Amino acid sequence: MNKYIIAAALSLLSVSTFVSTTSYAQANISPAAKQSQAIAITGATIHIGNGTVIENGTLVFDKGKIVSVSAGGGAQSGATEIKANGKHIYPGFIAPITNLGLTEFESVKATLDFNEIGNMNPHIRSLVAYNTDSKVPATLRSNGVLMAQITPQGGTIAGSSSVVQLDAWNWEDAALRADDAMHINWPAIPRSRFGRSTMSEEAMRERRDAALSELEAFFAESKAYAEGKPSVTNPRLAAMKHVFDGTEKLFITADNQKDIVAAVNFAKKHKITPVLVGGDEAHLITDFLKENNITVVVKQPHALPNSVDDDVNMPYKNAAVLANAGVPIVISIDGYWQQRNLPFMAGTVAAWGLDKEKALQAITLNTARALGIDKTAGSLEVGKDATLFISTGDALDMKTINVEQAFIQGRNISLDNLHKQLNKKFSEKYGLKVN
């Protein structure tokens, strides 16, 4: 009996710690008010996000939208001027494929809300579980990550992701595009870098084949449901309708080249052009990917190769090999806290063979296109949302990035966060100077 009492006490302690830490992190950090006056940022180097760079440029935005981007010039009459000589303006970075806002502490089960029981969960919507009170988004904003694709995990069909902006009172306010994509984890034989699996290869193959058969049957049933007039509502089958009519994208996670080919052919059979996630061996089949107009979300450039026979630097070079071969790429990174390092993943890719502005595009405009929000986000163009930030240095370089101001849909957002609060707290305790 004592062990249950101890377990309950530890659970309460964990939850109370979570609540107190979260409230501390959010102290004095409230979502910004709507833009009330036109703002002109002058004298900066403007990185449009589509490969174009404007030196000594002026960017003007009003009512949350960009109204002018030009070389030279000055503040418009009546606009508040922000002088940014020698500084850089970037579009807000977009973090794809993340459980941000669905998890807070990995060791506290009550804060994990990204995985559901079962293999076929297309009815799961990550958006309604997104926690705008999480302490994590504030740390991302300080590195220019202003939007994210909140993605469920687990099972064969994990559910629908949604795209959010990272300064909101609730998930309704946060949503930029609800239910943007359905996510499939392609059934595959697991690979291990070291040692052998406890399961025989034959048993693993049988399990993979059974999962593929289940997926095939589910898609066939879902398509029949979408095309018919069912008398009884089935939420799982109904959730697939927008995948078949093209209003919701299909993201498929696959790494092995044979699995990638099988996944793309599976989607083509259902007249769907998927977005490939992972693609560790995508560089081996670039012609196939180009022929089928496949965008690849390259995951975790900072990693070891999955095969002992691969070039040890292949994860660093994979994105550049794909992009230089003409395959559209998006850069992502695993986890939720880790999303603050997304710009540095792009910087690494640039150091390993990709033009720096194309690397920037892989976390801005390319990502917006893959997520279906490119009409309003992803680049600094007239008519798009004024979601951007000013940095005193190169935002893809962890040594020089310094985000001074950031705006989401024209709102001047707070750049305070838990890390800065703790730095200030303990610097004052020991009499150190706070930068």
Side-chain angles (χ1 to χ4, degrees), residues 30-31 79 113 129 216 220 281 292 298 339 395 418 420:
S30 298
D113 199 12
E216 288 274 7
E281 295 184 359
N292 290 281
V298 180
Q339 299 303 320
L418 176 61
K420 291 180 179 179

Side-chain angles (χ1 to χ4, degrees), residues 309-346:
D309 296 323
D310 285 345
D311 178 352
V312 70
N313 295 317
M314 198 62 235
Y316 297 159
K317 298 188 289 187
N318 192 18
V321 171
L322 291 168
N324 292 334
V327 178
I329 64 157
V330 171
I331 296 173
S332 72
I333 181 173
D334 291 338
Y336 56 108
W337 271 110
Q338 295 87 337
Q339 299 303 320
R340 67 188 187 277
N341 292 323
L342 178 65
F344 313 139
M345 299 299 105

Side-chain angles (χ1 to χ4, degrees), residues 156-169:
T156 302
I157 301 181
S160 292
S161 60
S162 290
V163 186
V164 300
Q165 52 87 1
L166 303 184
D167 183 63
W169 287 105

Side-chain angles (χ1 to χ4, degrees), residues 87-161:
K87 300 175 184 179
H88 301 261
I89 305 175
Y90 293 91
F93 299 151
I94 310 169
I97 320 292
T98 174
N99 58 5
L100 176 71
L102 304 180
T103 185
E104 199 70 20
F105 292 102
E106 292 173 339
S107 59
V108 181
K109 189 175 181 180
T111 71
L112 308 181
D113 199 12
F114 56 83
N115 193 351
E116 293 293 334
I117 296 172
N119 287 327
M120 302 296 171
N121 293 309
H123 60 301
I124 296 302
R125 302 178 67 225
S126 63
L127 181 60
V128 296
Y130 176 63
N131 176 23
T132 53
D133 290 325
S134 168
K135 68 178 179 297
V136 182
T139 67
L140 274 56
R141 298 198 300 259
S142 293
N143 275 359
V145 180
L146 306 182
M147 293 163 281
Q149 182 192 36
I150 310 305
T151 307
Q153 300 174 355
T156 302
I157 301 181
S160 292
S161 60

